[in-house]
Amino acid sequence: MKPILGYAENLLVLHSAERDPEALPRHAADPRRRVVLIAGDLAVLRAGEPATGLLAPAEAERAGAPEERIFLGSLDGQPVLAGLAAAEAAELFRDDPAFLVADLRAIAMRGLVRPGELGMLASAKSLLDWHRRHRFCARCGSPTAAAQAGYRRDCAACGAQHFPRTDPVVIMLVADGDHCLLGRQAHFAPGMYSCLAGFLEPGETIEDAVRRETLEEAGIRVGRVAYASSQPWPFPSSLMIGCVAEALSREITIDRSELEDARWFHRDEIRLMLDLAHPEKLFAANPIAIAHHLIRGWMERNDSARPPAPGGGGRRGA
Ligand SMILES: [Zn+2]
């Protein structure tokens, strides 16, 4: 089965042109509405195979009046709202077998909802988390209030408008022929290696961020950089920008404040890691993460570029 990239598929139709002041109350009164409920950092799902984050209004109201409410978009012509409840509200659902309470990592890793709901849950969680952390105006310190159906916060005191932020992160598969560079942070599960990554800084291009982060973390100089794909990462609101990059040097110097280890892996070793058959029990990042897809994509591309093995066995792994 092809691994699913978490949070990248979103079934919602967004309506950014429709976020007038009446949009939220109008959709909140629609009896066909569905509600995504986030309690603290956790999502409340209705149990099932698969479970769903789209609750009926009466189910979501069990958590009480939401602290914040957003008109997220529509699904099959029905409005979808998102509500933020206090972390304690999760307890109201935890012992009821009709519901599941889980964080977004567990929901993706355990495949609890259909993949197209993961993107929707990520949108809801990132937006609601932003509301929770931006109650006051960054310009004048006065309280702010949600506007534009939940996609903006306004300050009545100074007139400033604040928009939800997405933090870009570059994540790169750095390769040199048959080898690629992976690293591990101290908090990773034992044996896990992943792509190097880091936040894009203001005024920086994606390509330069890839080169700077790789040089800072592993001492490797990088030349050509190519964009591969991206992934929303709702912890709390990053966009992972996946790239494949070409190494210009081989000698690794590890920044121990960032990484516990970094090393070059031969493609045959990468295959063992992806197959969970590595003799030292090393493995690559989880399939829900873009790093896994960058690593797998590189290995498979290298496979097809490789000449058939002597003896006419065709290409390996085919
Ligand atoms: Zn203000």
Side-chain angles (χ1 to χ4, degrees), residues 137 140 155 158:
C137 179
C140 78
C155 175
C158 77

Side-chain angles (χ1 to χ4, degrees), residues 187-207:
H187 68 86
F188 283 5
M192 188 181 112
Y193 279 78
S194 188
C195 296
L196 304 190
F199 285 103
L200 194 86
E201 296 194 342
E204 197 171 41
T205 63
I206 291 170
E207 291 84 349

Side-chain angles (χ1 to χ4, degrees), residues 39-53:
D41 280 334
L42 305 176
V44 177
L45 309 178
R46 188 194 308 121
E49 296 287 340
T52 178

Side-chain angles (χ1 to χ4, degrees), residues 136-200:
F136 296 91
C137 179
R139 188 200 273 170
C140 78
S142 302
T144 54
Q148 268 216 324
Y151 282 81
R152 200 177 76 203
R153 291 188 75 85
D154 290 352
C155 175
C158 77
Q161 297 179 335
H162 302 281
F163 293 90
R165 52 185 284 179
T166 296
D167 300 317
V169 174
V170 291
I171 180 161
M172 47 278 181
L173 189 288
V174 178
D176 178 18
D178 272 346
H179 290 82
C180 72
L181 175 70
L182 301 181
R184 56 171 281 113
Q185 296 176 20
H187 68 86
F188 283 5
M192 188 181 112
Y193 279 78
S194 188
C195 296
L196 304 190
F199 285 103
L200 194 86

Side-chain angles (χ1 to χ4, degrees), residues 27 35 38 42 47 98 128 159 190 201 223 244 250-251 258 313:
H27 293 300
V35 181
I38 304 288
L42 305 176
L128 290 169
E201 296 194 342
V244 176
R250 280 297 291 250
E251 193 175 335
E258 295 271 354

